[in-house]
């Protein structure tokens, strides 16, 4: 991705700089073109003034009017000489002028020390057309007549085009630019002659030739037909520009690309001329060769730096992943609790730290499960150790019962019946859970024995909705609580008082059991130590058991409900000194008797 970005950046930079250079060249060229445009327009205006100056001289006016009056041959010759002298003055004053000609309708041509009568008297129309054939070919005559009295321009001409065919020289011909105007004297109503001023093409070339410096392209001027009228290479003059057809007629300036060249053009006012510059694209490429080499070097160095930096960072980034993969493989082999020793301070480090926490959590979970299993086994062993051979026990109880019956001791018989009712489900149903109704039957038999023992002074009350009687509770969970109330709450009252068993539904998932007595209560400091002892960890309880301050009944219940129900269950002791004690247990009610598998 870095390589692609770098290559795209280099390509965009290269072509962007090429476009900028092309635009800059176009803008600079346009500025120079505008200067040339002003210069050429000033040059054309100056030629216009020269033609006007020549036509306004008395000699030229008399020359145009000579057919309107009768003059002798000597006067006619002198008039021609006077006009030629005026032309020579112009040629002497303006070195860019090549020649000046006046063509009259009657077949005379005067200019550059040349005076000829090319048409015989009463010449035919065909002879007149032959007389103007060269002018027709250069389009000067016809355009001058149509544009009277404006000055018209034509290029790609030579001096021989304005004389007769026999006087044309084959050597040393020079290209000229012609400015023609149909003229008349102030006394005439229509034009009677055509004034042609020929200018050295090199004089026009000098006005813009300085623009050709420092580039290898071409710069020239074409007329409205696309014919080249001025060019540094004389061989191109008179040819048709291949680029002119692509120039948009509605635009006065512009730029476009044609083949391998950039074409920039400017139409020179209302002259019909177009200044065209052809710049090879290689010119722009040559200007950015140094930039191209610099970009290539920067690209190569960037690629090398990118490669080494990418390799370094990829290895640095992937190292934690390799460590994490190896750690997971180690854990799969059974090494639970494996810890990744080093991890970086980034997202991958967070993964490593998360793996370490997960590994420690698994170990802690296994250790907790192992402790729970050991606890369950220990409690099962305690239960097994407490079991007496039921057959021997029931035979013994029956012997005592029949002896009491013979002796007519009814209270003993009642105690024996209650004890048998308590022991029978213990040995008959070894299930871990009883329904709340079965647990209450067990409590009723237990209280018969206790009241016979302590004098019938204990009243037990039940506040239990019928809908909760089918809820499951751990086996023998209430008896230790009733015994606690008797031994610690009502003992000082000579076992006289009230014990209430209250069961309430807390929500859709939990219900609580309260065993409340009307005994002496528990002092605040002792109550606080009792609750802390109940909520303490297994290791803390093991150390506290040595004191045996609170016995094992409540602790046994707390650990059993935690083992069976987890953190959602809880045992709490509430007491007010002198007003009794309440032991509260919160148990999930999702274990209904009809849900037991």
């Amino acid at each position: 991705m870095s390589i692609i970005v770098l290559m795209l950046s280099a390509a965009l930079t290269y072509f962007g700089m090429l476009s900028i250079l092309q635009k800059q060249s176009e803008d600079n060229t346009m500025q120079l073109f505008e200067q040339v445009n002003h210069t050429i327009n000033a040059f054309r205006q100056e030629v216009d003034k020269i033609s006007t100056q020549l036509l306004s001289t008395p000699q030229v006016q008399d020359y145009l009017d000579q057919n309107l009056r009768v003059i002798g041959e000597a006067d006619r010759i002198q008039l021609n000489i006077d006009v030629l002298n005026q032309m020579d003055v112009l040629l002497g004053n303006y070195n860019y002028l090549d020649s000046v000609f006046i063509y009259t309708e009657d077949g005379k041509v005067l200019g550059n020390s040349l005076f000829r009568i090319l048409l015989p008297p009463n010449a035919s129309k065909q002879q007149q057309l032959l007389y103007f054939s060269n002018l027709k070919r250069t389009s000067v005559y016809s355009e001058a007549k149509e544009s009277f009295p404006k000055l018209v321009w034509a290029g790609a001409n030579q001096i021989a085009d304005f004389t007769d065919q026999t006087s044309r020289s084959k050597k040393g011909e020079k290209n000229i630019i012609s400015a023609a105007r149909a003229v008349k004297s102030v006394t005439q109503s229509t034009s009677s002659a055509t004034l042609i001023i020929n200018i050295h093409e090199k004089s026009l070339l000098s006005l813009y030739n300085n623009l050709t410096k420092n580039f290898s392209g071409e710069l020239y001027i074409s007329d409205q037909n696309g014919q080249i009228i001025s060019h540094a290479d004389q061989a191109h003059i008179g040819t048709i520009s291949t680029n002119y057809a692509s120039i948009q007629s509605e635009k006065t300036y512009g730029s476009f690309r044609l083949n391998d060249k950039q074409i920039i053009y400017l139409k020179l006012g209302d002259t019909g001329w177009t200044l065209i510059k052809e710049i090879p694209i290689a010119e722009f490429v040559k200007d950015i060769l140094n930039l191209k080499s610099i970009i290539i070097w920067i690209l190569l160095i960037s690629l090398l730096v990118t490669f080494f930096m990418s390799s370094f960072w990829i290895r640095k980034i992937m190292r934690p992943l390799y460590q994490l993969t190896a750690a997971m493989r180690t854990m799969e082999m059974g090494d639970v609790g494996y810890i990744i020793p080093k991890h970086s301070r980034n997202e991958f480090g967070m993964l490593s730290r998360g793996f370490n926490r997960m590994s420690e959590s698994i170990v802690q979970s296994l250790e907790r499960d192992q402790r729970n299993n050991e606890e369950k086994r220990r409690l099962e062993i305690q239960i097994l150790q407490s079991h007496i051979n039921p057959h021997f026990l029931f035979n013994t109880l029956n012997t005592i019962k029949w002896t009491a019956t013979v002796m007519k001791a009814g209270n003993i018989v009642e105690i024996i019946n209650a004890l048998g009712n308590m022991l029978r489900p213990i040995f008959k149903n070894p299930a871990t859970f009883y329904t709340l109704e079965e647990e209450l039957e067990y409590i009723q038999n237990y209280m018969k024995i206790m009241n016979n023992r302590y004098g019938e002074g204990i009243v037990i009350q039940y506040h239990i909705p019928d809908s909760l009687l089918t809820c499951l509770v751990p086996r023998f969970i209430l008896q230790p609580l009733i015994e606690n109330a008797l031994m610690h709450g009502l003992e000082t009252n000579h076992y006289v008082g009230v014990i209430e068993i209250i069961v309430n539904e807390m929500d859709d998932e939990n219900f609580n059991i309260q065993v409340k007595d009307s005994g002496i209560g528990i002092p605040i400091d002792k109550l606080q130590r009792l609750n802390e002892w109940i909520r303490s960890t297994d290791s803390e309880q093991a150390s506290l058991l040595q004191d045996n301050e609170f016995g094992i009944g409540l602790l046994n219940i707390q650990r059993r409900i935690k083992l069976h129900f987890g953190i959602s269950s809880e045992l709490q002791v509430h007491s007010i000194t002198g007003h009794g004690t309440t032991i509260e247990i919160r148990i999930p009610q999702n274990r209904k008797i009809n849900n037991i598998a």
Side-chain angles (χ1 to χ4, degrees):
M1 291 177 66
S2 300
I3 290 172
I4 292 174
V5 170
L6 286 173
M7 293 181 68
L8 287 176
S9 300
L12 291 174
T13 302
Y14 177 77
F15 289 108
M17 290 299 297
L18 180 61
S19 176
I20 291 173
L21 289 174
Q22 288 177 338
K23 186 66 171 62
Q24 184 178 4
S25 175
E26 178 183 343
D27 293 341
N28 293 337
T29 301
M30 283 299 174
Q31 292 178 1
L32 297 175
F33 275 12
E34 289 294 339
Q35 297 176 8
V36 171
N37 185 25
H38 292 306
T39 303
I40 291 178
N41 284 332
F43 175 75
R44 287 167 60 101
Q45 291 174 5
E46 186 175 4
V47 173
D48 195 328
K49 291 179 181 179
I50 291 173
S51 66
T52 304
Q53 178 183 350
L54 179 63
L55 291 174
S56 63
T57 59
Q59 294 84 351
V60 174
Q61 289 291 316
D62 291 342
Y63 180 77
L64 295 176
D65 285 338
Q66 61 179 315
N67 292 331
L68 299 179
R69 62 182 183 276
V70 179
I71 60 174
E73 186 65 24
D75 293 334
R76 190 181 301 277
I77 293 173
Q78 184 60 45
L79 180 60
N80 292 338
I81 293 173
D82 292 339
V83 173
L84 289 175
N85 288 335
Q86 292 294 325
M87 292 180 179
D88 289 338
V89 171
L90 287 180
L91 294 176
N93 292 336
Y94 303 98
N95 57 3
Y96 53 81
L97 298 181
D98 177 83
S99 57
V100 181
F101 293 97
I102 296 178
Y103 291 85
T104 62
E105 298 289 340
D106 58 358
K108 298 186 180 86
V109 56
L110 180 65
N112 272 33
S113 302
L114 174 66
F115 173 68
R116 297 185 182 210
I117 300 176
L118 299 179
L119 286 179
N122 303 319
S124 65
K125 191 171 183 179
Q126 182 178 4
Q127 289 176 317
Q128 292 177 1
L129 291 174
L130 181 64
Y131 166 65
F132 288 114
S133 63
N134 288 336
L135 294 178
K136 290 285 186 180
R137 186 175 62 247
T138 58
S139 302
V140 173
Y141 175 75
S142 61
E143 291 182 17
K145 295 289 286 182
E146 292 174 2
S147 302
F148 175 80
K150 292 175 60 178
L151 193 69
V152 298
W153 292 78
N157 299 323
Q158 294 180 350
I159 187 63
D161 293 327
F162 301 96
T163 62
D164 60 318
Q165 295 288 336
T166 58
S167 66
R168 177 175 296 181
S169 174
K170 298 298 182 181
K171 297 182 180 179
E173 294 272 347
K174 295 181 180 180
N175 292 301
I176 58 177
I177 303 294
S178 301
R181 168 177 280 160
V183 296
K184 67 180 184 65
S185 68
V186 294
T187 60
Q188 294 172 333
S189 59
T190 60
S191 61
S192 60
T194 300
L195 171 65
I196 296 178
I197 300 177
N198 294 316
I199 302 147
H200 297 296
E201 184 272 334
K202 289 188 178 296
S203 298
L204 178 62
L205 178 65
S206 65
L207 299 179
Y208 66 89
N209 193 40
N210 62 326
L211 300 182
T212 62
K213 296 178 181 179
N214 301 323
F215 86 102
S216 59
E218 297 183 4
L219 183 66
Y220 54 88
I221 295 176
S222 68
D223 61 14
Q224 63 272 18
N225 298 317
Q227 185 182 42
I228 297 176
I229 62 174
S230 179
H231 197 293
D233 185 355
Q234 299 291 302
H236 288 82
I237 295 178
T239 62
I240 300 299
S241 170
T242 57
N243 304 310
Y244 186 81
S246 301
I247 294 176
Q248 299 182 18
S249 58
E250 66 275 8
K251 290 187 176 182
T252 57
Y253 66 92
S255 173
F256 59 91
R257 184 169 179 173
L258 186 64
N259 299 325
D260 59 345
K261 295 180 180 179
Q262 184 75 18
I263 311 300
I264 304 173
Y265 65 90
L266 174 67
K267 295 181 180 179
L268 303 176
D270 57 355
T271 64
W273 293 355
T274 303
L275 183 61
I276 301 175
K277 183 178 183 180
E278 301 178 0
I279 308 175
I281 299 298
E283 285 287 324
F284 303 112
V285 177
K286 179 184 67 177
D287 292 336
I288 61 172
L289 281 179
N290 292 333
L291 176 62
K292 182 178 180 181
S293 61
I294 291 172
I295 290 176
I296 291 174
W297 277 109
I298 291 175
L299 180 61
L300 291 175
I301 294 173
S302 299
L303 290 177
L304 290 174
V305 173
T306 301
F307 175 77
F308 287 112
M309 290 185 65
S310 299
S311 300
F312 171 76
W313 283 107
I314 287 174
R315 285 197 301 270
K316 186 172 182 180
I317 290 171
M318 295 302 293
R319 189 180 297 113
L321 292 181
Y322 294 146
Q323 291 177 348
L324 184 60
T325 304
M328 294 174 66
R329 216 176 276 120
T330 302
M331 186 172 287
E332 287 178 0
M333 299 300 293
D335 187 3
V336 180
Y338 180 81
I339 300 297
I340 299 176
K342 294 181 180 180
H343 43 77
S344 55
R345 297 181 180 178
N346 53 24
E347 288 78 3
F348 297 103
M350 293 174 61
L351 287 177
S352 299
R353 289 190 292 271
F355 176 84
N356 289 344
R357 288 194 297 269
M358 180 191 69
S359 181
E360 292 173 353
S361 177
I362 290 174
V363 172
Q364 293 173 0
S365 179
L366 291 175
E367 291 176 351
R368 185 168 56 251
D369 290 343
Q370 184 177 2
R371 287 195 303 269
N372 291 341
N373 291 332
E374 290 176 354
E375 180 66 17
K376 288 180 181 179
R377 285 195 297 271
R378 188 178 63 81
L379 293 174
E380 290 173 358
I381 291 173
Q382 288 179 356
I383 293 173
L384 289 174
Q385 288 176 347
S386 65
H387 286 175
I388 304 173
N389 189 318
H391 184 69
F392 172 75
L393 181 58
F394 278 107
N395 286 339
T396 303
L397 290 176
N398 283 330
T399 300
I400 298 171
K401 178 181 177 180
W402 285 112
T403 302
T405 301
V406 171
M407 295 177 64
K408 298 182 180 181
N411 58 338
I412 296 176
V413 174
E414 186 179 358
I415 292 173
I416 295 299
N417 285 333
L419 180 59
N421 291 335
M422 290 178 63
L423 295 177
R424 188 172 292 109
I426 293 176
F427 299 112
K428 184 179 179 181
N429 183 10
T432 306
F433 290 90
Y434 276 3
T435 63
L436 190 56
E437 186 176 13
E438 291 173 333
E439 188 70 10
L440 292 176
E441 290 177 0
Y442 182 83
I443 293 302
Q444 289 173 356
N445 289 314
Y446 174 76
M447 288 306 300
K448 286 180 181 180
I449 297 173
M450 292 297 104
N451 273 323
N452 274 286
R453 179 180 176 182
Y454 297 117
E456 301 292 341
I458 304 170
V459 178
I460 185 164
Q461 299 176 352
Y462 303 96
H463 307 281
I464 304 172
D466 293 339
S467 60
L468 298 179
L469 291 175
T470 56
C471 290
L472 296 177
V473 295
R475 192 176 180 183
F476 309 138
I477 195 173
L478 294 179
Q479 186 271 332
L481 302 181
I482 300 296
E483 184 177 354
N484 241 25
L486 291 172
M487 297 297 105
H488 302 291
L490 303 177
E491 182 180 12
T492 57
N493 292 340
H494 305 290
Y495 301 102
V496 174
V498 179
I499 297 176
E500 295 180 82
I501 298 178
I502 305 171
V503 181
N504 294 317
E505 186 174 13
M506 298 176 65
D507 48 46
D508 292 339
E509 297 182 355
N510 300 288
F511 69 95
N512 72 336
I513 301 173
Q514 294 181 358
V515 177
K516 184 183 299 184
D517 64 66
S518 58
I520 61 173
I522 305 173
I524 294 177
D525 56 343
K526 187 175 181 179
L527 177 64
Q528 184 176 357
R529 290 199 310 275
L530 175 61
N531 281 319
E532 290 177 355
W533 179 67
I534 293 173
R535 289 192 296 268
S536 60
T537 61
D538 293 344
S539 58
E540 293 172 344
Q541 290 167 1
S543 62
L544 293 172
L545 274 175
Q546 297 176 359
D547 298 338
N548 200 21
E549 180 182 5
F550 305 111
I552 62 170
L554 295 179
L555 181 60
N556 186 288
I557 294 173
Q558 169 74 354
R559 294 168 74 179
R560 286 171 65 196
I561 62 176
K562 287 292 184 183
L563 286 171
H564 290 303
F565 304 118
I567 60 174
S568 61
S569 60
E570 186 178 32
L571 183 146
Q572 290 184 341
V573 180
H574 309 281
S575 182
I576 300 176
T577 305
H579 292 81
T581 301
T582 300
I583 299 176
E584 182 179 359
I585 303 174
R586 185 172 73 239
I587 297 178
Q589 61 168 321
N590 56 355
R591 290 183 175 270
K592 301 282 182 77
I593 191 168
N594 55 356
N595 291 334
I596 298 177

